[in-house]
Amino acid sequence: MSTGSIAVLIVAAGRGERAGDPGDGPKQYRRIGGDPVLAKTVRAFQSAGLTHILIAIHRDDGALFEEAMRTVAPLPSTVHGGATRQDSVRLGLEALAADAPDIVLIHDAARPFVDPDTIRRVVECVRRTGGGALPATAQTDTLKRAEVDGLVTATLPRSGLFCAQTPQGFPFGPILDAHRRALNEGKGDFTDDASIAEWSGLPVTLVAGSSDNVKLTLAADFVRARAADRKGLPMIDVRTGNGYDVHQLVTGDHVTLCGVRIAHDQALSGHSDADVGLHALTDALLATCGAGDIGDHFPPSDMQWRGAPSAIFVRRAVEIVAAAGGRIMNADITLICEAPKIAPHREAMRQAIATMTGLDLTRVSVKATTNETIGFVGRREGIAAIATASVVYGDGA
């Protein structure tokens, strides 16, 4: 869409009394999906290539506006609004008049879900007709007229009826003149700018609106909007990897488990220092990004790894995870053995793993259990380990 000389005037000076507890603040500054409504609205126009944006705000909302715009760039300009929406629009138009655009789009701050296609249709209509453009959706519900007590007095035909939305687009000069004339003639009861244009004789043409372009008015609207926003979020990419390792026990004087040397009447035989805990953790980390297993990266046939500390393998797995865009969230290792006793060494093991992985100690768990004298572990022929690692990838990392 060619933006030409287009300005966007966002009306954000209201108090939003119908949107729930006043203690929550004006509705345009409440949050949906972590972002203030007003920030979402501004970004909707910026994403359509429109950056000449003026926002009419309440004179008491300066701090709220600054906080809402912290993550918005470029930063829109502001003007103080008036007592009514009509006043705020007129004051905004007057502020734009010093450097008048060809077209102005007037939009409610509480419509944060306007899409670029709707904006484009409004602009193209103004250019084509030279008059106003009003996005709208056809009225589909049956309409009733009722008395104050709720008694229905008539059913109204819905054919040809439409629900008006914003942004409403106009050639700048005529809509400013219409607002000035309304002020001079004491006409202050218009509910939107299209109605002022119609009253002044400026033709207004309907263009297709969007069912998603809802106005947040009531507290229930915010509940629905927040639920819809959550559904639209990409799923957080959390991956869990598991690892298992076992090594034979032979005659010796120590074992190395989870990076800690422990005096013992047996030793573990196998790859490197045969640290089953760290081998299992290495496999768990590699599994989260489909990077094979420990044997792929450190083959037992390669003599350079004979007797090597297994911390080397864990650190390399951490590098591979980071290169894939992952952030390790926790590591959990269970050692399965009849001896030695693990409890006296558990904290040293946790600290060693925390150092290798860069994790906070609270995110590292080491547990131990026996095999109740059953099987090869129960006969003290070997030690096994099971490890689980959780890693967040992508934007969540």
Side-chain angles (χ1 to χ4, degrees):
M1 178 179 68
S2 174
T3 58
S5 179
I6 302 172
V8 179
L9 173 58
I10 298 176
V11 189
R15 300 292 83 191
E17 291 89 350
R18 291 179 289 173
D21 186 350
D24 294 336
K27 63 185 179 182
Q28 60 269 33
Y29 299 109
R30 299 180 195 179
R31 291 181 178 268
I32 294 177
D35 287 326
V37 169
L38 183 55
K40 283 181 171 288
T41 303
V42 170
R43 289 197 191 100
F45 285 94
Q46 291 178 339
S47 68
L50 299 174
T51 58
H52 184 189
I53 299 174
L54 176 68
I55 305 180
I57 67 171
H58 194 282
R59 63 179 60 254
D60 295 335
D61 290 347
L64 288 172
F65 176 81
E66 289 182 8
E67 175 63 22
M69 294 295 109
R70 281 194 309 113
T71 60
V72 174
L75 187 66
S77 302
T78 62
V79 63
H80 287 156
T84 67
R85 182 189 185 280
Q86 185 175 328
D87 288 336
S88 295
V89 172
R90 178 179 50 79
L91 291 168
L93 294 173
E94 295 287 4
L96 290 170
D99 185 17
D102 296 328
I103 295 172
V104 63
L105 305 182
I106 304 172
H107 188 68
D108 296 325
R111 290 188 187 269
F113 304 116
V114 62
D115 60 275
D117 285 341
T118 298
I119 296 169
R120 175 184 52 78
R121 287 192 291 269
V122 170
V123 172
E124 290 178 351
C125 180
V126 175
R127 286 180 173 153
R128 184 181 72 253
T129 66
L134 169 66
T137 56
Q139 174 64 43
T140 57
D141 293 331
T142 298
L143 299 174
K144 302 288 184 179
R145 178 181 287 121
E147 301 290 352
V148 176
D149 61 3
L151 181 66
V152 174
T153 60
T155 298
L156 306 179
R158 65 190 180 198
S159 177
L161 296 181
F162 294 84
C163 299
Q165 299 180 341
T166 66
Q168 297 175 6
F170 308 93
F172 182 78
I175 194 63
L176 175 57
D177 290 342
H179 270 274
R180 286 172 173 171
R181 179 182 161 197
L183 175 66
N184 292 334
E185 296 186 20
K187 298 285 291 183
D189 56 351
F190 294 106
T191 56
D192 70 352
D193 301 286
S195 60
I196 295 179
E198 297 156 26
W199 167 79
S200 71
L202 179 65
V204 176
T205 303
L206 294 182
V207 300
S210 169
S211 59
D212 293 331
N213 187 17
V214 295
K215 185 177 182 181
L216 303 177
T217 302
L218 305 175
D221 296 332
F222 278 83
V223 174
R224 286 189 290 269
R226 286 165 180 151
D229 191 77
R230 285 193 294 271
K231 288 180 182 178
L233 291 175
M235 183 179 294
I236 297 176
D237 190 1
V238 181
R239 308 181 195 177
T240 300
N242 293 314
Y244 173 81
D245 195 38
V246 60
H247 282 289
Q248 182 182 9
L249 282 166
V250 296
T251 301
D253 61 3
H254 78 277
V255 293
T256 300
L257 295 171
C258 294
V260 176
R261 179 186 174 106
I262 303 172
H264 189 45
D265 59 2
Q266 292 177 291
L268 286 168
S269 174
H271 188 204
S272 63
D273 59 7
D275 188 330
V276 291
L278 296 189
H279 291 187
L281 177 58
T282 300
D283 276 349
L285 291 170
L286 294 173
T288 66
C289 56
D293 61 23
I294 191 171
D296 296 323
H297 298 271
F298 308 99
S301 58
D302 190 337
M303 298 306 296
Q304 69 173 308
W305 306 122
R306 180 179 295 275
S310 294
I312 294 174
F313 309 150
V314 174
R315 290 194 177 98
R316 178 57 185 149
V318 169
E319 292 173 355
I320 292 170
V321 166
R327 180 184 179 189
I328 303 170
M329 304 306 293
N330 83 293
D332 176 36
I333 299 174
T334 299
L335 299 169
I336 309 168
C337 59
E338 301 297 324
K341 294 293 184 184
I342 300 302
H345 309 283
R346 181 181 290 115
E347 293 311 305
M349 293 177 179
R350 293 177 64 215
Q351 187 60 63
I353 293 168
T355 300
M356 296 173 211
T357 59
L359 287 170
D360 185 87
L361 193 62
T362 60
R363 294 179 178 270
V364 177
S365 171
V366 174
K367 308 185 299 294
T369 185
T370 70
N371 223 37
E372 299 293 342
T373 71
I374 300 170
F376 72 89
V377 172
R379 294 190 297 270
R380 295 181 59 169
E381 296 173 2
I383 294 176
I386 299 171
T388 302
S390 295
V391 180
V392 177
Y393 286 85
D395 291 342

